[in-house]
Amino acid sequence: MVGPLVNSSAPSTATGTQGGRGARLAARALVTTAAAAALLSAASLSASAAPGDTATDSVVANVNVNSTITLNLDQGNFDLNGIPGSTVSKAGAVTGVVTTNNAAGYSVGVVAAASTLRPSLSANTDSIPIANLEVTDSDGDLTPLSPTTPVITNTQDTRSALTGDAFSDDYQVDIPDVNSDTYSVTLNYTATALA
């Protein structure tokens, strides 16, 4: 007995179902990809600048100004010439310039490095007491020099001129009964910014 004829060219139901599902998945993936591309394109368009658009930001500029004070004397030494028993003066014996940006001003003081003016000749045992040497103070009075306490010769309660303030100090010495020689002492000047 011959069985029923089977059409070998007809696709099976199982194969047809899988093919339809694959096509749907492929179509769905294509739609998802297209949507992502559209979103990316939209984001790119929103980030681009059109003519006339601006963007702003800011920065702070800081200028740090340091405190400064300088003192420059115009000479390295000065001479007072006389004989024992005489009083010798010299106007403007010491001159200099003070420069500072301190708004409260400054003072200039001078102190002796030793208690006596010492002779230049080693055989000479004489000396002149430092108190015999006087300088004009900030009030204009002659004041004996000291090895411990500075004499304030100049003071000002404002900053100096940009190019500095010039000052001039007068000196006087009472010469005691000492041998002929040159008697010397170092005088240390200091400019101080006031508070």
Side-chain angles (χ1 to χ4, degrees):
M1 183 176 179
V2 180
L5 293 175
V6 177
N7 187 354
S8 61
S9 64
S12 68
T13 303
T15 304
T17 301
Q18 289 176 357
R21 184 179 298 161
R24 286 194 300 275
L25 290 174
R28 190 174 298 163
L30 183 61
V31 169
T32 302
T33 303
L39 287 173
L40 181 62
S41 176
S44 299
L45 288 174
S46 63
S48 63
D53 286 353
T54 61
T56 62
D57 203 347
S58 61
V59 63
V60 176
N62 297 310
V63 178
N64 300 310
V65 180
N66 297 321
S67 177
T68 180
I69 186 166
T70 61
L71 169 65
N72 293 298
L73 299 180
D74 297 327
Q75 59 282 109
N77 58 75
F78 63 92
D79 297 327
L80 297 169
N81 303 309
I83 60 174
S86 66
T87 298
V88 182
S89 301
K90 186 170 186 177
V94 174
T95 58
V97 176
V98 177
T99 305
T100 183
N101 63 344
N102 183 47
Y106 63 89
S107 66
V108 178
V110 57
V111 64
S115 60
T116 60
L117 288 84
R118 302 296 302 169
S120 61
L121 299 174
S122 58
N124 185 3
T125 59
D126 288 341
S127 63
I128 298 176
I130 193 61
N132 285 38
L133 183 62
E134 299 176 307
V135 62
T136 50
D137 62 20
S138 57
D139 294 324
D141 300 323
L142 283 166
T143 302
L145 287 167
S146 165
T148 57
T149 305
V151 177
I152 303 303
T153 63
N154 298 272
T155 187
Q156 180 171 300
D157 60 3
T158 60
R159 65 172 59 93
S160 72
L162 185 60
T163 55
D165 293 342
F167 68 89
S168 176
D169 292 342
D170 302 337
Y171 276 82
Q172 177 176 290
V173 63
D174 293 324
I175 302 176
D177 187 13
V178 291
N179 285 317
S180 175
D181 202 345
T182 298
Y183 297 82
S184 304
V185 67
T186 298
L187 303 179
N188 295 316
Y189 270 79
T190 302
T192 304
L194 301 178

